[in-house]
Every structure is written in C-alpha cells, then in structure tokens.
Amino acid sequence: MVIVMEPSKRVQSINLSEIRKMFEMAGEDSINLGLGEPDFNTPKHIIEAASNAMREGFTHYTSNMGILELREAITHKFKVDNGINTSPESVLVTVGASEAIYMCMQALVNPGDEVLIPDPGFLSYNACVSLAGGIPRGIPLNMENDLRMIAEDVNERITKKTKAIMLNSPSNPTGSVMKKEDIKAISEIADDNGIYLISDEVYEKIVYNNVHHSPGKFCENAITINGFSKSYAMTGFRIGYVTANLEITEELLKIHQYTTACASSMVQKAALAALEGPQNNISEMVSEFKRRRDLVVNRLNGMGIECSSPHGAFYIFPKINNPEAFVKAGLKKGVVMVQGKAFGAHGKDHVRLSYATSYNQLEDAMDRLESINYKF
C-alpha cells in the first residue's frame, strides 16, 4: 500500500510558472512570445572559454564563493558600470540570478516579515518570499507612471513588518526603467527604516535611450543581483552573481553552501571571458531588440491596442480588453503570450509579449494577431 504524503504548506501555497504552462501548450508551428530568452547565439569567445576549461581539466569544485579571478572582474564591473564600491570578498557567484533571489529571501526573511515587490513583477519574487515564510506585498505599477515603481508608492506601504524592498529595473514584465530620483529616494527610505533593498539588475544592459541606475551606489543596505543570461545570451549557462556588505554576503553564503555548493567551474571561466572580452555583441543585440520593439509597438497600436513603448528589457505589456480571451484566441492562431495576471493582481488587464525572437517571426506573429479581429 502506497501512502500519499502531503507536501509542505509553503510549497502548496505557490503555483508552477504560468509562462512554462503556456510554453507547453504551444504547437509545433507556434510563435512563442512567452519566454524571456534572447534568441541570439552565445558569443564564440565565451563558448571557447568554457570548452578550453573542460579540455584543461578545470572540471572540479571551486571555492563556494566562486573563482577569485571572476569575483575580481565582477568587482571591477560594479565599480565601472554601476558606481558600486565592493570587494571580491563581498561578491558571491551563483547559479543564475534566480538562485541569488532565492538565497536573499531564505537568508534575510523571517516568517511573517513583509517584502515589498513590484506588481506586476517577475514571478519568482512572490514565490521566493512565500517559500521563506514571508508575506509579499505588491507595489502597484501604474500606467500613468509608465509602469515604473515610484518612491511615493513605496513609502506609503512601509510598515513595522517590512523587511525588504525588491526592485527590478529594467523590468520584467513591463520593460519600464526606473528614474534616478526614484532609485535615490527609495534607497533613502530603505536606509532610514533599516530595510534591505534587493535590486535585480539582470536587464541592465538592455536599455533604449535611457540610463540604468543601481541603488547600490546610494544605499548602505543594498543587495545587487545580476547575471549573464540576458546581456550575453547565456541563459543555459546558469550563472549570476550578487554583492552586498560583507555581513550580508556571509549570511547569503550559508544558503548557497547548502543548496548548490558552487557554480559550475567551466561556466565560471565562460563568465570571466564574457566580462573581459569584447562587448560589441551587447550593443548589436540591443540595437536589434530596439528594432523589434518598434515593430511590435507600431503594429499593436495599429490594431487599436493601448501600448506604450518600453524603455528596456525585451517585453511589451499592453493593456487589453479581456486578456484571457485574447491569449486563448492568439494561441489558436499559433501565437503564445502570457496573461498579465500571472505577474500579480495589478497585471490582470494586461498581457506580456516578449520580442526576443526574430524580426520575421514577429511580423508573422503580428499578422496572426491582427487576423483575430478582436474587439480591443
């Protein structure tokens, strides 16, 4: 007799990703505008670095923190690109930015603590807070503010239970880019209230006519998360990194040690090559993303869909009448999209479209959506 045991309450409280569900529903000839993955190939010098590392026998455990050369390169990158003064001892190499988010919540959040997260926001924020026993509290991102998080909205929701604030700029799913004044003001709110400020910056390089600002240069309690997946088209490599003051990093390390031990050795060499090698692939990729963004925005506006032009990442988050019916109609035409409600209650009147696919496929996808004759 097989006895069926119940999983933990905290696991039962979360759902599997709606993005993956939509992906699995797609047919063979479908155009997937659901996944957030650059369709570009990883630059050859990065692949060669991983390959060389394996051939040279660099296939064993590394330091839990990550190899020193990579942490030194990340430290330099933080100083030059982000204005953040850190040290290799305060940098931790992770298995993607996703592990870094999970690590932060497990290390810093107690049961009953509140964490302010963007709403709509990346799916992992809500889930990781809940898995830590915390309470996610959404900060509404409103159309009148270009779907950006603003300081006033954050300040209104600070309570005695608030333990951390989660920022994500450029944003998934909205593509919005926060303004410097809001970044600074929220940094001051965090410091004044003794609250952690966790900044997910994986899309920092993918900005259009805007400047990315890191709260880590303004905030004493900042934890900065980044990775290589988006900027270098390295999603399958699963490597990211995080920095904070040394006391926080030591707590994060405890979670990292007992979940993954260390990031893949040869992938760390690839990441080092990404930082130290030519950066022209990024600008070429961003230029193409901008071209695709303009295509999709213009076509959606031509269909009568309320759609602003996002300033970063590779997502469009238009407001739609009856988004559930629209996503279903799109799926019948072979176009995969994600309902906005998957990213939070405040996204319920939206859908997310990713333009991280070829220009020709995007043209085809827009033709298919236009043929629905949907009442927007």
Side-chain angles (χ1 to χ4, degrees), residues 235-271:
T235 53
F237 284 70
R238 306 312 305 133
I239 187 159
Y241 52 94
V242 59
T243 195
N245 65 53
L246 188 58
E247 292 78 11
I248 296 173
T249 304
E250 288 177 350
E251 300 307 312
L252 298 179
L253 177 60
K254 294 176 185 177
I255 307 299
H256 178 68
Q257 280 185 335
Y258 294 113
T259 51
T260 58
C262 65
S264 166
S265 56
M266 68 286 298
V267 170
Q268 291 187 57
K269 289 289 188 178

PDB file of all heavy atoms in Angstrom, residues 235-271:
ATOM      1  N   THR A 235      21.654  32.038 -21.270  1.00  0.00           N
ATOM      2  CA  THR A 235      20.613  31.519 -20.369  1.00  0.00           C
ATOM      3  C   THR A 235      20.909  30.097 -19.900  1.00  0.00           C
ATOM      4  O   THR A 235      20.689  29.761 -18.735  1.00  0.00           O
ATOM      5  CB  THR A 235      19.233  31.568 -21.048  1.00  0.00           C
ATOM      6  OG1 THR A 235      19.304  30.906 -22.319  1.00  0.00           O
ATOM      7  CG2 THR A 235      18.769  32.995 -21.265  1.00  0.00           C
ATOM      8  N   GLY A 236      21.391  29.246 -20.785  1.00  0.00           N
ATOM      9  CA  GLY A 236      21.641  27.857 -20.429  1.00  0.00           C
ATOM     10  C   GLY A 236      22.882  27.649 -19.571  1.00  0.00           C
ATOM     11  O   GLY A 236      23.056  26.581 -18.993  1.00  0.00           O
ATOM     12  N   PHE A 237      23.716  28.667 -19.470  1.00  0.00           N
ATOM     13  CA  PHE A 237      24.924  28.540 -18.656  1.00  0.00           C
ATOM     14  C   PHE A 237      24.597  28.601 -17.155  1.00  0.00           C
ATOM     15  O   PHE A 237      25.347  28.094 -16.341  1.00  0.00           O
ATOM     16  CB  PHE A 237      25.921  29.650 -18.997  1.00  0.00           C
ATOM     17  CG  PHE A 237      26.655  29.456 -20.285  1.00  0.00           C
ATOM     18  CD1 PHE A 237      26.003  29.578 -21.506  1.00  0.00           C
ATOM     19  CD2 PHE A 237      28.004  29.159 -20.293  1.00  0.00           C
ATOM     20  CE1 PHE A 237      26.680  29.400 -22.703  1.00  0.00           C
ATOM     21  CE2 PHE A 237      28.699  28.983 -21.480  1.00  0.00           C
ATOM     22  CZ  PHE A 237      28.027  29.094 -22.691  1.00  0.00           C
ATOM     23  N   ARG A 238      23.480  29.246 -16.809  1.00  0.00           N
ATOM     24  CA  ARG A 238      23.019  29.371 -15.431  1.00  0.00           C
ATOM     25  C   ARG A 238      24.103  29.921 -14.515  1.00  0.00           C
ATOM     26  O   ARG A 238      24.630  29.233 -13.637  1.00  0.00           O
ATOM     27  CB  ARG A 238      22.516  28.010 -14.881  1.00  0.00           C
ATOM     28  CG  ARG A 238      21.460  27.300 -15.694  1.00  0.00           C
ATOM     29  CD  ARG A 238      20.299  28.209 -16.113  1.00  0.00           C
ATOM     30  NE  ARG A 238      19.675  28.866 -14.986  1.00  0.00           N
ATOM     31  CZ  ARG A 238      19.384  30.183 -14.968  1.00  0.00           C
ATOM     32  NH1 ARG A 238      19.675  30.960 -15.998  1.00  0.00           N
ATOM     33  NH2 ARG A 238      18.817  30.707 -13.919  1.00  0.00           N
ATOM     34  N   ILE A 239      24.435  31.183 -14.719  1.00  0.00           N
ATOM     35  CA  ILE A 239      25.425  31.810 -13.839  1.00  0.00           C
ATOM     36  C   ILE A 239      25.041  33.261 -13.587  1.00  0.00           C
ATOM     37  O   ILE A 239      24.642  33.996 -14.500  1.00  0.00           O
ATOM     38  CB  ILE A 239      26.848  31.690 -14.411  1.00  0.00           C
ATOM     39  CG1 ILE A 239      27.868  32.207 -13.393  1.00  0.00           C
ATOM     40  CG2 ILE A 239      26.981  32.384 -15.765  1.00  0.00           C
ATOM     41  CD1 ILE A 239      29.273  31.686 -13.608  1.00  0.00           C
ATOM     42  N   GLY A 240      25.125  33.641 -12.309  1.00  0.00           N
ATOM     43  CA  GLY A 240      24.819  35.002 -11.900  1.00  0.00           C
ATOM     44  C   GLY A 240      25.739  35.400 -10.770  1.00  0.00           C
ATOM     45  O   GLY A 240      26.705  34.690 -10.440  1.00  0.00           O
ATOM     46  N   TYR A 241      25.442  36.519 -10.136  1.00  0.00           N
ATOM     47  CA  TYR A 241      26.280  36.974  -9.028  1.00  0.00           C
ATOM     48  C   TYR A 241      25.520  37.990  -8.185  1.00  0.00           C
ATOM     49  O   TYR A 241      24.522  38.582  -8.619  1.00  0.00           O
ATOM     50  CB  TYR A 241      27.596  37.563  -9.531  1.00  0.00           C
ATOM     51  CG  TYR A 241      27.467  38.642 -10.593  1.00  0.00           C
ATOM     52  CD1 TYR A 241      27.433  39.995 -10.251  1.00  0.00           C
ATOM     53  CD2 TYR A 241      27.393  38.311 -11.943  1.00  0.00           C
ATOM     54  CE1 TYR A 241      27.335  40.983 -11.224  1.00  0.00           C
ATOM     55  CE2 TYR A 241      27.301  39.294 -12.922  1.00  0.00           C
ATOM     56  CZ  TYR A 241      27.265  40.627 -12.555  1.00  0.00           C
ATOM     57  OH  TYR A 241      27.160  41.593 -13.515  1.00  0.00           O
ATOM     58  N   VAL A 242      26.003  38.169  -6.973  1.00  0.00           N
ATOM     59  CA  VAL A 242      25.369  39.088  -6.031  1.00  0.00           C
ATOM     60  C   VAL A 242      26.456  39.740  -5.188  1.00  0.00           C
ATOM     61  O   VAL A 242      27.490  39.123  -4.905  1.00  0.00           O
ATOM     62  CB  VAL A 242      24.356  38.338  -5.138  1.00  0.00           C
ATOM     63  CG1 VAL A 242      25.019  37.227  -4.354  1.00  0.00           C
ATOM     64  CG2 VAL A 242      23.621  39.280  -4.193  1.00  0.00           C
ATOM     65  N   THR A 243      26.225  41.000  -4.828  1.00  0.00           N
ATOM     66  CA  THR A 243      27.122  41.664  -3.885  1.00  0.00           C
ATOM     67  C   THR A 243      26.316  42.431  -2.861  1.00  0.00           C
ATOM     68  O   THR A 243      25.197  42.886  -3.135  1.00  0.00           O
ATOM     69  CB  THR A 243      28.117  42.612  -4.591  1.00  0.00           C
ATOM     70  OG1 THR A 243      29.162  42.957  -3.676  1.00  0.00           O
ATOM     71  CG2 THR A 243      27.448  43.890  -5.084  1.00  0.00           C
ATOM     72  N   ALA A 244      26.865  42.534  -1.671  1.00  0.00           N
ATOM     73  CA  ALA A 244      26.264  43.287  -0.571  1.00  0.00           C
ATOM     74  C   ALA A 244      27.393  43.578   0.411  1.00  0.00           C
ATOM     75  O   ALA A 244      28.557  43.236   0.149  1.00  0.00           O
ATOM     76  CB  ALA A 244      25.169  42.465   0.101  1.00  0.00           C
ATOM     77  N   ASN A 245      27.075  44.235   1.539  1.00  0.00           N
ATOM     78  CA  ASN A 245      28.148  44.403   2.510  1.00  0.00           C
ATOM     79  C   ASN A 245      28.545  43.028   3.051  1.00  0.00           C
ATOM     80  O   ASN A 245      27.790  42.060   2.953  1.00  0.00           O
ATOM     81  CB  ASN A 245      27.760  45.383   3.624  1.00  0.00           C
ATOM     82  CG  ASN A 245      26.620  44.899   4.489  1.00  0.00           C
ATOM     83  OD1 ASN A 245      26.662  43.789   5.023  1.00  0.00           O
ATOM     84  ND2 ASN A 245      25.594  45.727   4.657  1.00  0.00           N
ATOM     85  N   LEU A 246      29.723  42.947   3.594  1.00  0.00           N
ATOM     86  CA  LEU A 246      30.320  41.659   3.939  1.00  0.00           C
ATOM     87  C   LEU A 246      29.461  40.853   4.910  1.00  0.00           C
ATOM     88  O   LEU A 246      29.346  39.621   4.775  1.00  0.00           O
ATOM     89  CB  LEU A 246      31.717  41.873   4.536  1.00  0.00           C
ATOM     90  CG  LEU A 246      32.561  40.616   4.791  1.00  0.00           C
ATOM     91  CD1 LEU A 246      32.750  39.827   3.500  1.00  0.00           C
ATOM     92  CD2 LEU A 246      33.901  40.999   5.388  1.00  0.00           C
ATOM     93  N   GLU A 247      28.821  41.534   5.863  1.00  0.00           N
ATOM     94  CA  GLU A 247      27.996  40.821   6.843  1.00  0.00           C
ATOM     95  C   GLU A 247      26.821  40.116   6.164  1.00  0.00           C
ATOM     96  O   GLU A 247      26.488  38.970   6.492  1.00  0.00           O
ATOM     97  CB  GLU A 247      27.478  41.799   7.900  1.00  0.00           C
ATOM     98  CG  GLU A 247      28.557  42.360   8.821  1.00  0.00           C
ATOM     99  CD  GLU A 247      29.368  43.474   8.164  1.00  0.00           C
ATOM    100  OE1 GLU A 247      28.955  43.957   7.080  1.00  0.00           O
ATOM    101  OE2 GLU A 247      30.409  43.851   8.730  1.00  0.00           O
ATOM    102  N   ILE A 248      26.196  40.774   5.200  1.00  0.00           N
ATOM    103  CA  ILE A 248      25.078  40.158   4.486  1.00  0.00           C
ATOM    104  C   ILE A 248      25.572  39.022   3.602  1.00  0.00           C
ATOM    105  O   ILE A 248      24.969  37.942   3.550  1.00  0.00           O
ATOM    106  CB  ILE A 248      24.330  41.214   3.641  1.00  0.00           C
ATOM    107  CG1 ILE A 248      23.691  42.266   4.541  1.00  0.00           C
ATOM    108  CG2 ILE A 248      23.269  40.558   2.750  1.00  0.00           C
ATOM    109  CD1 ILE A 248      23.069  43.430   3.788  1.00  0.00           C
ATOM    110  N   THR A 249      26.684  39.247   2.899  1.00  0.00           N
ATOM    111  CA  THR A 249      27.218  38.216   1.997  1.00  0.00           C
ATOM    112  C   THR A 249      27.516  36.928   2.754  1.00  0.00           C
ATOM    113  O   THR A 249      27.277  35.817   2.245  1.00  0.00           O
ATOM    114  CB  THR A 249      28.494  38.720   1.294  1.00  0.00           C
ATOM    115  OG1 THR A 249      28.207  39.932   0.605  1.00  0.00           O
ATOM    116  CG2 THR A 249      29.002  37.697   0.293  1.00  0.00           C
ATOM    117  N   GLU A 250      28.012  37.040   3.973  1.00  0.00           N
ATOM    118  CA  GLU A 250      28.300  35.846   4.767  1.00  0.00           C
ATOM    119  C   GLU A 250      27.030  35.060   5.086  1.00  0.00           C
ATOM    120  O   GLU A 250      27.051  33.820   5.132  1.00  0.00           O
ATOM    121  CB  GLU A 250      29.020  36.251   6.061  1.00  0.00           C
ATOM    122  CG  GLU A 250      30.462  36.699   5.828  1.00  0.00           C
ATOM    123  CD  GLU A 250      31.148  37.159   7.094  1.00  0.00           C
ATOM    124  OE1 GLU A 250      30.443  37.317   8.120  1.00  0.00           O
ATOM    125  OE2 GLU A 250      32.368  37.362   7.074  1.00  0.00           O
ATOM    126  N   GLU A 251      25.926  35.743   5.288  1.00  0.00           N
ATOM    127  CA  GLU A 251      24.654  35.050   5.525  1.00  0.00           C
ATOM    128  C   GLU A 251      24.145  34.396   4.241  1.00  0.00           C
ATOM    129  O   GLU A 251      23.613  33.282   4.266  1.00  0.00           O
ATOM    130  CB  GLU A 251      23.613  36.036   6.082  1.00  0.00           C
ATOM    131  CG  GLU A 251      23.995  36.681   7.402  1.00  0.00           C
ATOM    132  CD  GLU A 251      24.361  35.661   8.469  1.00  0.00           C
ATOM    133  OE1 GLU A 251      23.589  34.693   8.649  1.00  0.00           O
ATOM    134  OE2 GLU A 251      25.423  35.826   9.113  1.00  0.00           O
ATOM    135  N   LEU A 252      24.300  35.093   3.113  1.00  0.00           N
ATOM    136  CA  LEU A 252      23.889  34.520   1.828  1.00  0.00           C
ATOM    137  C   LEU A 252      24.699  33.262   1.525  1.00  0.00           C
ATOM    138  O   LEU A 252      24.175  32.280   0.981  1.00  0.00           O
ATOM    139  CB  LEU A 252      24.089  35.541   0.705  1.00  0.00           C
ATOM    140  CG  LEU A 252      23.285  36.845   0.785  1.00  0.00           C
ATOM    141  CD1 LEU A 252      23.631  37.739  -0.396  1.00  0.00           C
ATOM    142  CD2 LEU A 252      21.788  36.576   0.824  1.00  0.00           C
ATOM    143  N   LEU A 253      25.968  33.289   1.890  1.00  0.00           N
ATOM    144  CA  LEU A 253      26.850  32.152   1.621  1.00  0.00           C
ATOM    145  C   LEU A 253      26.358  30.879   2.316  1.00  0.00           C
ATOM    146  O   LEU A 253      26.489  29.775   1.772  1.00  0.00           O
ATOM    147  CB  LEU A 253      28.276  32.488   2.067  1.00  0.00           C
ATOM    148  CG  LEU A 253      29.319  31.377   1.916  1.00  0.00           C
ATOM    149  CD1 LEU A 253      29.452  30.940   0.459  1.00  0.00           C
ATOM    150  CD2 LEU A 253      30.672  31.856   2.462  1.00  0.00           C
ATOM    151  N   LYS A 254      25.764  31.037   3.491  1.00  0.00           N
ATOM    152  CA  LYS A 254      25.261  29.858   4.206  1.00  0.00           C
ATOM    153  C   LYS A 254      24.196  29.125   3.382  1.00  0.00           C
ATOM    154  O   LYS A 254      24.182  27.894   3.322  1.00  0.00           O
ATOM    155  CB  LYS A 254      24.665  30.281   5.552  1.00  0.00           C
ATOM    156  CG  LYS A 254      25.670  30.839   6.537  1.00  0.00           C
ATOM    157  CD  LYS A 254      24.969  31.326   7.800  1.00  0.00           C
ATOM    158  CE  LYS A 254      25.940  31.998   8.758  1.00  0.00           C
ATOM    159  NZ  LYS A 254      25.243  32.530   9.968  1.00  0.00           N
ATOM    160  N   ILE A 255      23.299  29.889   2.755  1.00  0.00           N
ATOM    161  CA  ILE A 255      22.264  29.277   1.922  1.00  0.00           C
ATOM    162  C   ILE A 255      22.893  28.664   0.680  1.00  0.00           C
ATOM    163  O   ILE A 255      22.581  27.529   0.289  1.00  0.00           O
ATOM    164  CB  ILE A 255      21.190  30.307   1.519  1.00  0.00           C
ATOM    165  CG1 ILE A 255      20.628  31.020   2.757  1.00  0.00           C
ATOM    166  CG2 ILE A 255      20.083  29.660   0.703  1.00  0.00           C
ATOM    167  CD1 ILE A 255      19.967  30.110   3.750  1.00  0.00           C
ATOM    168  N   HIS A 256      23.809  29.391   0.068  1.00  0.00           N
ATOM    169  CA  HIS A 256      24.471  28.933  -1.155  1.00  0.00           C
ATOM    170  C   HIS A 256      25.226  27.626  -0.915  1.00  0.00           C
ATOM    171  O   HIS A 256      25.160  26.695  -1.724  1.00  0.00           O
ATOM    172  CB  HIS A 256      25.426  30.035  -1.627  1.00  0.00           C
ATOM    173  CG  HIS A 256      26.218  29.704  -2.852  1.00  0.00           C
ATOM    174  ND1 HIS A 256      25.647  29.554  -4.099  1.00  0.00           N
ATOM    175  CD2 HIS A 256      27.549  29.501  -3.022  1.00  0.00           C
ATOM    176  CE1 HIS A 256      26.590  29.294  -4.987  1.00  0.00           C
ATOM    177  NE2 HIS A 256      27.753  29.242  -4.352  1.00  0.00           N
ATOM    178  N   GLN A 257      25.934  27.525   0.208  1.00  0.00           N
ATOM    179  CA  GLN A 257      26.724  26.332   0.509  1.00  0.00           C
ATOM    180  C   GLN A 257      25.866  25.075   0.570  1.00  0.00           C
ATOM    181  O   GLN A 257      26.276  24.006   0.127  1.00  0.00           O
ATOM    182  CB  GLN A 257      27.443  26.512   1.846  1.00  0.00           C
ATOM    183  CG  GLN A 257      28.699  27.350   1.772  1.00  0.00           C
ATOM    184  CD  GLN A 257      29.419  27.390   3.113  1.00  0.00           C
ATOM    185  OE1 GLN A 257      28.813  27.216   4.170  1.00  0.00           O
ATOM    186  NE2 GLN A 257      30.724  27.619   3.071  1.00  0.00           N
ATOM    187  N   TYR A 258      24.654  25.214   1.126  1.00  0.00           N
ATOM    188  CA  TYR A 258      23.841  24.031   1.368  1.00  0.00           C
ATOM    189  C   TYR A 258      22.776  23.798   0.293  1.00  0.00           C
ATOM    190  O   TYR A 258      21.971  22.873   0.419  1.00  0.00           O
ATOM    191  CB  TYR A 258      23.196  24.131   2.753  1.00  0.00           C
ATOM    192  CG  TYR A 258      24.240  24.072   3.849  1.00  0.00           C
ATOM    193  CD1 TYR A 258      24.498  25.183   4.646  1.00  0.00           C
ATOM    194  CD2 TYR A 258      24.996  22.915   4.062  1.00  0.00           C
ATOM    195  CE1 TYR A 258      25.474  25.139   5.634  1.00  0.00           C
ATOM    196  CE2 TYR A 258      25.971  22.868   5.041  1.00  0.00           C
ATOM    197  CZ  TYR A 258      26.209  23.984   5.824  1.00  0.00           C
ATOM    198  OH  TYR A 258      27.184  23.937   6.795  1.00  0.00           O
ATOM    199  N   THR A 259      22.793  24.608  -0.748  1.00  0.00           N
ATOM    200  CA  THR A 259      21.883  24.359  -1.869  1.00  0.00           C
ATOM    201  C   THR A 259      22.647  23.963  -3.129  1.00  0.00           C
ATOM    202  O   THR A 259      22.331  22.953  -3.758  1.00  0.00           O
ATOM    203  CB  THR A 259      21.010  25.593  -2.173  1.00  0.00           C
ATOM    204  OG1 THR A 259      21.838  26.758  -2.305  1.00  0.00           O
ATOM    205  CG2 THR A 259      19.989  25.822  -1.085  1.00  0.00           C
ATOM    206  N   THR A 260      23.678  24.723  -3.483  1.00  0.00           N
ATOM    207  CA  THR A 260      24.397  24.431  -4.737  1.00  0.00           C
ATOM    208  C   THR A 260      25.899  24.227  -4.548  1.00  0.00           C
ATOM    209  O   THR A 260      26.571  23.785  -5.480  1.00  0.00           O
ATOM    210  CB  THR A 260      24.190  25.571  -5.754  1.00  0.00           C
ATOM    211  OG1 THR A 260      24.644  26.804  -5.195  1.00  0.00           O
ATOM    212  CG2 THR A 260      22.728  25.715  -6.113  1.00  0.00           C
ATOM    213  N   ALA A 261      26.440  24.575  -3.410  1.00  0.00           N
ATOM    214  CA  ALA A 261      27.876  24.470  -3.116  1.00  0.00           C
ATOM    215  C   ALA A 261      28.694  25.483  -3.894  1.00  0.00           C
ATOM    216  O   ALA A 261      29.377  26.328  -3.321  1.00  0.00           O
ATOM    217  CB  ALA A 261      28.402  23.056  -3.352  1.00  0.00           C
ATOM    218  N   CYS A 262      28.629  25.405  -5.232  1.00  0.00           N
ATOM    219  CA  CYS A 262      29.340  26.394  -6.053  1.00  0.00           C
ATOM    220  C   CYS A 262      28.756  26.369  -7.463  1.00  0.00           C
ATOM    221  O   CYS A 262      28.119  25.391  -7.867  1.00  0.00           O
ATOM    222  CB  CYS A 262      30.843  26.113  -6.107  1.00  0.00           C
ATOM    223  SG  CYS A 262      31.293  24.572  -6.942  1.00  0.00           S
ATOM    224  N   ALA A 263      28.973  27.447  -8.175  1.00  0.00           N
ATOM    225  CA  ALA A 263      28.575  27.481  -9.578  1.00  0.00           C
ATOM    226  C   ALA A 263      29.506  26.582 -10.383  1.00  0.00           C
ATOM    227  O   ALA A 263      30.628  26.281  -9.967  1.00  0.00           O
ATOM    228  CB  ALA A 263      28.626  28.908 -10.106  1.00  0.00           C
ATOM    229  N   SER A 264      29.036  26.149 -11.555  1.00  0.00           N
ATOM    230  CA  SER A 264      29.814  25.266 -12.420  1.00  0.00           C
ATOM    231  C   SER A 264      31.188  25.869 -12.721  1.00  0.00           C
ATOM    232  O   SER A 264      31.306  27.048 -13.071  1.00  0.00           O
ATOM    233  CB  SER A 264      29.042  25.044 -13.723  1.00  0.00           C
ATOM    234  OG  SER A 264      29.871  24.482 -14.714  1.00  0.00           O
ATOM    235  N   SER A 265      32.217  25.065 -12.583  1.00  0.00           N
ATOM    236  CA  SER A 265      33.590  25.555 -12.736  1.00  0.00           C
ATOM    237  C   SER A 265      33.867  26.103 -14.129  1.00  0.00           C
ATOM    238  O   SER A 265      34.344  27.235 -14.292  1.00  0.00           O
ATOM    239  CB  SER A 265      34.581  24.437 -12.399  1.00  0.00           C
ATOM    240  OG  SER A 265      34.333  23.285 -13.196  1.00  0.00           O
ATOM    241  N   MET A 266      33.562  25.299 -15.169  1.00  0.00           N
ATOM    242  CA  MET A 266      33.870  25.769 -16.517  1.00  0.00           C
ATOM    243  C   MET A 266      32.983  26.947 -16.940  1.00  0.00           C
ATOM    244  O   MET A 266      33.401  27.801 -17.723  1.00  0.00           O
ATOM    245  CB  MET A 266      33.765  24.615 -17.522  1.00  0.00           C
ATOM    246  CG  MET A 266      32.374  24.059 -17.771  1.00  0.00           C
ATOM    247  SD  MET A 266      31.722  23.038 -16.432  1.00  0.00           S
ATOM    248  CE  MET A 266      32.858  21.673 -16.345  1.00  0.00           C
ATOM    249  N   VAL A 267      31.795  27.021 -16.390  1.00  0.00           N
ATOM    250  CA  VAL A 267      30.913  28.148 -16.692  1.00  0.00           C
ATOM    251  C   VAL A 267      31.455  29.432 -16.068  1.00  0.00           C
ATOM    252  O   VAL A 267      31.299  30.527 -16.630  1.00  0.00           O
ATOM    253  CB  VAL A 267      29.470  27.846 -16.217  1.00  0.00           C
ATOM    254  CG1 VAL A 267      28.602  29.083 -16.294  1.00  0.00           C
ATOM    255  CG2 VAL A 267      28.873  26.741 -17.077  1.00  0.00           C
ATOM    256  N   GLN A 268      32.108  29.309 -14.928  1.00  0.00           N
ATOM    257  CA  GLN A 268      32.742  30.492 -14.337  1.00  0.00           C
ATOM    258  C   GLN A 268      33.831  31.048 -15.257  1.00  0.00           C
ATOM    259  O   GLN A 268      33.999  32.271 -15.375  1.00  0.00           O
ATOM    260  CB  GLN A 268      33.318  30.153 -12.962  1.00  0.00           C
ATOM    261  CG  GLN A 268      32.256  29.871 -11.910  1.00  0.00           C
ATOM    262  CD  GLN A 268      32.854  29.708 -10.532  1.00  0.00           C
ATOM    263  OE1 GLN A 268      33.549  30.598 -10.031  1.00  0.00           O
ATOM    264  NE2 GLN A 268      32.608  28.559  -9.906  1.00  0.00           N
ATOM    265  N   LYS A 269      34.552  30.176 -15.911  1.00  0.00           N
ATOM    266  CA  LYS A 269      35.560  30.627 -16.881  1.00  0.00           C
ATOM    267  C   LYS A 269      34.894  31.326 -18.075  1.00  0.00           C
ATOM    268  O   LYS A 269      35.399  32.313 -18.598  1.00  0.00           O
ATOM    269  CB  LYS A 269      36.390  29.436 -17.361  1.00  0.00           C
ATOM    270  CG  LYS A 269      37.340  28.873 -16.316  1.00  0.00           C
ATOM    271  CD  LYS A 269      38.499  29.819 -16.045  1.00  0.00           C
ATOM    272  CE  LYS A 269      39.545  29.162 -15.153  1.00  0.00           C
ATOM    273  NZ  LYS A 269      40.723  30.044 -14.915  1.00  0.00           N
ATOM    274  N   ALA A 270      33.746  30.810 -18.479  1.00  0.00           N
ATOM    275  CA  ALA A 270      32.997  31.451 -19.562  1.00  0.00           C
ATOM    276  C   ALA A 270      32.522  32.832 -19.148  1.00  0.00           C
ATOM    277  O   ALA A 270      32.575  33.791 -19.930  1.00  0.00           O
ATOM    278  CB  ALA A 270      31.806  30.571 -19.961  1.00  0.00           C
ATOM    279  N   ALA A 271      32.062  32.955 -17.916  1.00  0.00           N
ATOM    280  CA  ALA A 271      31.607  34.249 -17.412  1.00  0.00           C
ATOM    281  C   ALA A 271      32.760  35.247 -17.352  1.00  0.00           C
ATOM    282  O   ALA A 271      32.594  36.437 -17.664  1.00  0.00           O
ATOM    283  CB  ALA A 271      30.984  34.075 -16.037  1.00  0.00           C
TER     284      ALA A 271
END
